[in-house]
Amino acid sequence: MTRDILDLQIELRMARRPYALATVVEILGSSSAKPAAKALIDLSGKVIAGWVGGGCAQSLVSGAALECLETGEPRVIEVDLNDEVFGAGMPCGGSMRVYVEPVLPKPVLWLMGHGRIVESLCEFASRLEFEVVVNDPQATAERFSSAESIISDDCRYQQLQPQTGDFVVIATHHKGDYDSLARAVQSEAAYIALVSSRKRANLVLARLAQEGFSASGLARVRAPAGLDLGAKSPEEIALSIASEMVLVRRGGCGESLSKALE
């Protein structure tokens, strides 16, 4: 059973599917589940492998798993096997503690372009636990050593295929802005940013609008990219973009923490 769970965890990781891992960490009294018993729960709350108890115990663990997947935070739950109303409703005469841990795939950052801004952003994003894919004819492993993968044979950016929740940053120096942005706005990416001047961004967005792209879709594009940090250097600009990515990912407001505490 343990090997089956490990095999499935690898499959889920390769498929980039989120799940929760529930582990029985303590048993008091009697219980059908034993310490170290494990189960995997998917996004629907279904136990897809393993076992940590039947009946309402499974229901309580599945409910906690869904909460953990939503918040991204692990938790320990108490399952009272004596309480017929609020607990598991099983005549085991004990209780158990279960550690529920969400396992979420790293968000993918698609970086389109090259240059010091893109190189710095790749470094920042990798440290921030993004899986970075660099797509540019001039991209090399030496310049993007922290990238998970590099695409250098895709001049029209046909391999740009962001999935739901992915991040896309386009810094193609005008050469590929239209092609890459056209693909990005048709996706369910959580973040789409164009590194350009405001004038250039307006021209690209106007062209996309003329081509029939919806106003709501184009409104998702953050252009110019990044937060207003007063950035000047390529590294500072990359930091402002990385900061905006964290804001979107974590649901922040972007205000100074000192003001937020007032």
Side-chain angles (χ1 to χ4, degrees), residues 204-228:
V204 174
L205 293 173
R207 179 181 172 185
L208 289 171
Q210 291 176 353
E211 294 290 335
F213 287 88
S214 68
S216 60
L218 296 178
R220 298 167 54 211
V221 180
R222 297 169 183 264
L227 300 180
D228 185 2

Side-chain angles (χ1 to χ4, degrees), residues 190-210:
Y191 176 87
I192 303 171
L194 177 63
V195 181
S196 71
S197 66
R198 195 174 301 277
K199 179 179 179 180
R200 171 63 187 174
N202 289 336
L203 290 173
V204 174
L205 293 173
R207 179 181 172 185
L208 289 171
Q210 291 176 353

Side-chain angles (χ1 to χ4, degrees), residues 106 111 115-116 118-127 130-134 138-151:
K106 290 182 180 180
L111 273 177
R116 190 56 195 156
V118 181
E119 293 170 11
S120 298
L121 184 53
C122 180
E123 296 171 11
F124 286 140
S126 179
R127 292 180 177 273
F130 283 84
E131 182 177 316
V132 183
V133 178
V134 179
Q138 298 186 42
T140 63
E142 290 75 19
R143 291 182 178 275
F144 296 99
S145 58
S146 57
E148 292 284 340
S149 61
I150 296 174
I151 302 171

